[in-house]
Amino acid sequence: MLFLATAVIFSSASFAQGYSFGYYWRDFNGTVSPDAFPGGMDAKNQPVYVALAYDKYLIAAQIFTNDNNAYYSYGALEHGVKINNKILCTEYPEQFEWIPTDANALKKITDKYLLKGGWEPNLTLYIGRAKYGNEVLVGKVLADSTIDGLYFTRNGKTLHTKTFDVLSFKSNQFKGILGVRSATAVILSSASFAQGGPSGYYWRDFDGTVPPDAFPGGVDANNRPIYIAQVYAKNILMPAKIYFNDNTAYYEYGNKELGEKDNVMILCTEHPEKFEWISTEGKSIRNITGKHLVIGGYQEEKSATYIGRTRIGGEVVVSKVVIYTPARAEYDALYLISKGVQHHVFSFDVLTFQ
């Protein structure tokens, strides 16, 4: 196993620079975590939660209480998916603000931080809500199109309104809260782990500033941390890496290394000691049981890709682990780019969470 022990000291000033640090996205496995943010209310006065569904594209969705589906609108239809979803969470729900607006006035909101609602080709997406009957429902807001407005669903129908609330985060007020926090020391060691669960980690929107709870999975040639990211590009959700003092996430695709600055999330946790890098091989990864492999993205056919690392070119590099169908198991490997050259690594470490 590769050994990585990194001490990273973050000041409260660096914490206060970003806007997205006050909220985060958890992988949704059917259980609503206590810090999930309720954006609406159903007819039984039960909360409706804000979600992102990765299906047709990456689209804002809603999750109902006691329902493990995320529902979203696309192509004038309601879609419900049980896998590949994220749920919006926060420790500071009071810092969210629902701003009343309409399709025309939305473009005039320039002094607020609006949460992105996913990605569709040639569109800007935000998160919105509207009252429908005796319910308040959540959906995607289309901007920069000829059909701007809020699109949401209920009972198999897709609905559209040009008058709605759009979700924002009070970044200025939140900076004041963060400013009183003391410096945080994060010590990572591959030899020390405790019991936990998948809800102990989460993904933050990455705006170019590394948050203090980001999990460094590797080190560069200068012994600086390399962080674990997730990018939505080429209509695929993929694992990626973020270098120290670099606002770009780099990922392997089509035998090349590509960079992405938009639609990027960074892996974070308050319990880095619960991560474990397990030494394995491509042919053996299917035999890992009793461990939660951290999903870093998905292939075109929506099968999961995982997060791996290896030492190469003087660095400990993070990239994607691809697991094919059993008939193509000989291609299961860590795929990465180092100094412009693609490598298929068959012995590597894979990231798990206890």
Side-chain angles (χ1 to χ4, degrees):
M1 176 181 294
L2 294 171
F3 179 80
L4 176 64
T6 306
V8 185
I9 306 296
F10 300 91
S11 71
S12 58
S14 67
F15 197 174
Q17 290 172 0
Y19 289 163
S20 65
F21 296 160
Y23 67 88
Y24 38 90
W25 300 89
R26 294 192 189 275
D27 293 332
F28 179 68
N29 59 6
T31 301
V32 175
S33 57
D35 55 353
F37 178 68
M41 192 76 66
D42 69 11
K44 297 180 180 179
N45 290 324
Q46 295 296 308
V48 177
Y49 298 96
V50 179
L52 282 177
Y54 173 57
D55 189 26
K56 302 294 182 183
Y57 295 104
L58 187 65
I59 301 177
Q62 57 186 347
I63 293 174
F64 292 92
T65 301
N66 296 324
D67 190 338
N68 59 359
N69 288 277
Y71 297 94
Y72 70 94
S73 170
Y74 181 77
L77 297 173
E78 179 183 62
H79 302 267
V81 290
K82 293 183 179 180
I83 59 173
N84 310 341
N85 300 318
K86 285 182 168 62
I87 188 168
L88 179 62
C89 299
T90 183
E91 294 180 351
Y92 303 95
E94 72 280 0
Q95 298 302 318
F96 283 109
E97 179 182 8
W98 290 100
I99 302 173
T101 187
D102 58 51
N104 294 322
L106 179 64
K107 298 179 178 64
K108 300 177 183 178
I109 302 175
T110 58
D111 59 343
K112 302 286 186 177
Y113 179 78
L114 303 182
L115 272 71
K116 291 183 178 180
W119 185 91
E120 291 183 34
N122 305 313
L123 293 173
T124 301
L125 270 62
Y126 299 111
I127 298 167
R129 71 176 184 182
K131 186 174 177 59
Y132 178 70
N134 58 349
E135 298 184 312
V136 178
L137 302 177
V138 176
K140 66 179 181 182
V141 174
L142 296 189
D144 304 324
S145 76
T146 58
I147 52 173
D148 287 355
L150 172 66
Y151 291 79
F152 59 103
T153 68
R154 192 61 168 133
N155 298 325
K157 297 189 300 183
T158 188
L159 305 155
H160 173 229
T161 178
K162 292 190 175 183
T163 303
F164 51 88
D165 297 341
V166 66
L167 184 59
S168 72
F169 191 77
K170 299 177 183 178
S171 56
N172 291 333
Q173 291 90 330
F174 194 66
K175 288 181 181 181
I177 293 174
L178 297 176
V180 302
R181 290 195 171 184
S182 60
T184 302
V186 181
I187 307 297
L188 303 181
S189 170
S190 61
S192 175
F193 306 101
Q195 293 299 314
S199 63
Y201 65 85
Y202 37 88
W203 301 87
R204 294 192 189 275
D205 291 336
F206 179 67
D207 61 2
T209 302
V210 174
D213 54 352
F215 178 68
V219 291
D220 67 14
N222 295 313
N223 205 35
R224 297 176 301 187
I226 298 174
Y227 298 96
I228 298 169
Q230 192 176 73
V231 302
Y232 184 78
K234 311 296 182 183
N235 295 341
I236 307 171
L237 202 61
M238 293 176 278
K241 60 188 176 185
I242 296 173
Y243 285 97
F244 186 78
N245 281 341
D246 193 334
N247 62 358
T248 301
Y250 299 93
Y251 63 97
E252 190 275 344
Y253 180 82
N255 302 327
K256 297 179 181 179
E257 183 170 76
L258 304 177
E260 180 66 45
K261 293 184 179 180
D262 298 320
N263 306 317
V264 177
M265 293 185 180
I266 187 168
L267 181 62
C268 299
T269 183
E270 292 182 350
H271 299 284
E273 75 281 358
K274 295 181 181 179
F275 282 110
E276 181 179 7
W277 291 98
I278 297 178
S279 294
T280 187
E281 297 180 347
K283 63 182 180 181
S284 303
I285 194 169
R286 300 168 187 271
N287 300 325
I288 297 176
T289 59
K291 302 286 186 179
H292 173 77
L293 273 67
V294 179
I295 295 176
Y298 300 89
Q299 292 290 88
E300 286 89 341
E301 64 274 14
K302 301 300 186 290
S303 60
T305 56
Y306 300 103
I307 298 166
R309 71 178 186 183
T310 192
R311 184 176 294 278
I312 188 170
E315 299 182 327
V316 178
V317 179
V318 176
S319 194
K320 67 180 181 183
V321 175
V322 180
I323 307 300
Y324 290 96
T325 61
R328 302 179 63 200
E330 68 269 22
Y331 299 106
D332 295 351
L334 173 68
Y335 289 75
L336 61 90
I337 304 294
S338 177
K339 298 180 180 179
V341 179
Q342 187 192 51
H343 298 268
H344 300 171
V345 181
F346 294 96
S347 295
F348 51 87
D349 291 349
V350 66
L351 184 61
T352 69
F353 192 85
Q354 298 186 12

